[in-house]
Amino acid sequence: MSAVPPLGDLRVLEFLGLGPGPFAGMLLADLGADVLAVTRPRTARPALAENRPVIELDVKSAEGRRQALRLAERCDVLIEGFRPGVMERLGLGPEDVRKANPRLVYARMTGWGQHGPLAPTAGHDINYIAITGALHHAARCGEVPVPTANLLGDFGAGGMYLVMSVLAALRERGRTGAGQVLDVAIVDGTTYLTTMLHEYRSRGTWSDVAGTNRLDTGAPYYDAYPCADGGHVAIGALEAPFFAALVELLGLDPVWTGIREDPANWPELRREIERAVRRRTRDEWAAAAEKTDACLSPVLNLAEAAGHPHLRARNALVPAPGGRTGWRPTLGGRRFARAPSASSVEDTLARWRADEPGGGPAR
């Protein structure tokens, strides 16, 4: 654990929700921020909220609202992930809170955003990535798109986008002294993540037909294949030298190195690769490919990933807290955060009450 966490002087008040908001709170806490999460009384702690203290407040009551406002006066960042208008009806909207704390970065995390025709409607990750075109290309040609387990929308385009926006706003506050209100939407983040695909499409090198492009299983040298034991390997031999290494590894005819770019040859090349891969088990292929540039990797489940030598060498996972079975990912192998046991609700409240309102970094 670093002695000086990167965000060690940052205070964050998080109104716990689901998905991207808690993911952002978790990431900020792992970076060392002093995060206090708020949840309704008698509500089960949601996923992704284990590394920070959680306080129960009935913000629909006058006393609960008063306590929440006092906490908001003493923090740098407020995160909320409710539908547009909910925080305003509770008396905890941006205008209510920032009157007392104009330096506050008020971050609003939603799927559709604060405005637009869909803003007041319900949705989940699958809906947000659907309208941005991202889900369309998570499919083989002629097959049904496959949801990406909330990794793309909620966490990549939502939680990460939220943290990036918060850090940028804090940087701006360091220059101007003023906070701001952030409208962070999963549809915006997902659309931004599709920038390369839009650029390829504008150049005429990306088709709207899913499963026909180099990166969406159209190219046979960028796909997953079944092995002799029912396991799978992932092949990503895009560049010519890597494809040549793959041809050698699989024992394919070297002629493929000169004709693989022609889509007319892709069906036959796919059959050749599939026949070759089926000759060995997944782990046999993994061992054979390990010291090569063939870009062939075993497709592991979560339990197997925890034991992979590379992830273990980087301390990418640690045992799950509370004595439970399983693992918790770290931040690139580094842990900056205070241990949850050393930062209880009482400890956090004591730290926050020690200062005047509006405390935090870049004071």
Side-chain angles (χ1 to χ4, degrees), residues 2-166:
S2 172
V4 183
L7 302 181
D9 56 355
L10 182 71
R11 291 178 179 172
V12 179
L13 183 65
E14 172 195 356
F15 287 84
L16 272 176
L18 298 174
F23 183 83
M26 178 193 74
L27 178 53
L28 291 170
D30 274 351
L31 287 168
D34 201 359
V35 182
L36 178 60
V38 176
T39 189
R40 292 175 297 176
R42 298 173 298 281
T43 299
R45 182 185 293 233
L48 307 174
E50 293 179 336
N51 69 336
R52 52 206 186 274
V54 178
I55 184 173
E56 294 185 353
L57 289 180
D58 180 7
V59 293
K60 292 184 178 180
S61 71
E63 176 59 20
R65 184 164 51 253
R66 184 188 68 79
Q67 292 183 54
L69 283 170
R70 285 180 62 83
L71 291 171
E73 291 173 6
R74 288 165 167 78
C75 68
D76 303 286
V77 178
L78 184 151
I79 296 174
E80 65 95 356
F82 305 117
R83 288 201 208 188
V86 169
M87 291 293 277
E88 283 83 354
R89 291 194 293 274
L90 292 171
L92 296 170
E95 292 186 8
D96 303 300
V97 176
R98 296 183 73 243
K99 287 178 183 177
N101 186 0
R103 292 168 54 80
L104 179 69
V105 174
Y106 195 109
R108 321 197 76 171
M109 178 76 255
T110 60
W112 304 118
Q114 296 296 312
H115 64 85
L118 296 175
T121 65
H124 286 292
D125 178 293
I126 192 171
N127 307 114
Y128 311 136
I129 67 174
I131 73 159
T132 62
L135 180 59
H136 175 75
H137 287 282
R140 298 180 184 279
C141 185
E143 296 187 10
V144 176
V146 177
T148 55
N150 286 37
L151 300 178
L152 172 57
D154 276 355
F155 305 131
M160 287 291 191
Y161 186 36
L162 174 58
V163 171
M164 179 190 73
S165 301
V166 164

Side-chain angles (χ1 to χ4, degrees), residues 40-353:
R40 292 175 297 176
R42 298 173 298 281
T43 299
R45 182 185 293 233
L48 307 174
E50 293 179 336
N51 69 336
R52 52 206 186 274
V54 178
I55 184 173
E56 294 185 353
L57 289 180
D58 180 7
V59 293
K60 292 184 178 180
S61 71
E63 176 59 20
R65 184 164 51 253
R66 184 188 68 79
Q67 292 183 54
L69 283 170
R70 285 180 62 83
L71 291 171
E73 291 173 6
R74 288 165 167 78
C75 68
D76 303 286
V77 178
L78 184 151
I79 296 174
E80 65 95 356
F82 305 117
R83 288 201 208 188
V86 169
M87 291 293 277
E88 283 83 354
R89 291 194 293 274
L90 292 171
L92 296 170
E95 292 186 8
D96 303 300
V97 176
R98 296 183 73 243
K99 287 178 183 177
N101 186 0
R103 292 168 54 80
L104 179 69
V105 174
Y106 195 109
R108 321 197 76 171
M109 178 76 255
T110 60
W112 304 118
Q114 296 296 312
H115 64 85
L118 296 175
T121 65
H124 286 292
D125 178 293
I126 192 171
N127 307 114
Y128 311 136
I129 67 174
I131 73 159
T132 62
L135 180 59
H136 175 75
H137 287 282
R140 298 180 184 279
C141 185
E143 296 187 10
V144 176
V146 177
T148 55
N150 286 37
L151 300 178
L152 172 57
D154 276 355
F155 305 131
M160 287 291 191
Y161 186 36
L162 174 58
V163 171
M164 179 190 73
S165 301
V166 164
L167 296 180
L170 289 170
R171 172 71 172 171
E172 174 67 14
R173 190 184 74 172
R175 290 195 293 265
T176 66
Q180 56 183 287
V181 181
L182 304 177
D183 176 6
V184 183
I186 294 174
V187 290
D188 296 346
T190 307
T191 301
Y192 196 78
L193 291 176
T194 64
T195 297
M196 184 181 73
L197 306 189
H198 280 285
E199 185 173 323
Y200 283 169
R201 186 176 182 276
S202 69
R203 295 178 182 179
T205 57
W206 188 269
S207 169
D208 283 330
V209 180
T212 64
N213 302 284
R214 291 185 87 212
L215 301 178
D216 65 357
T217 76
Y221 44 82
Y222 198 86
D223 205 347
Y225 289 89
C227 304
D229 60 345
H232 295 81
V233 293
I235 292 175
L238 287 172
E239 292 80 6
F242 305 151
F243 181 75
L246 178 70
V247 167
E248 181 178 356
L249 176 71
L250 298 183
L252 303 181
D253 189 331
V255 72
W256 284 114
T257 59
I259 62 174
R260 66 149 185 162
E261 291 295 350
D262 185 351
N265 295 325
W266 285 0
E268 180 58 27
L269 176 57
R270 181 177 298 278
R271 288 189 288 270
E272 289 291 316
I273 294 176
E274 185 168 1
R275 278 195 291 267
V277 171
R278 283 188 180 275
R279 296 187 187 118
R280 295 186 182 182
T281 67
R282 183 196 67 178
D283 292 346
E284 287 173 341
W285 279 121
E290 188 171 316
K291 303 299 182 182
T292 76
D293 280 340
C295 299
L296 183 150
S297 305
V299 177
L300 306 179
N301 62 34
L302 296 180
E304 291 172 323
H308 193 279
H310 189 78
L311 298 185
R312 291 178 67 87
R314 296 187 59 78
N315 297 315
L317 293 141
V318 296
R324 296 197 307 277
T325 300
W327 302 85
R328 182 191 187 277
T330 65
L331 191 62
R334 298 191 295 172
R335 298 298 302 276
F336 299 106
R338 303 171 179 86
S341 60
S343 188
S344 65
V345 170
E346 292 74 18
D347 293 337
T348 303
L349 292 177
R351 285 194 301 273
W352 288 28
R353 287 168 181 160

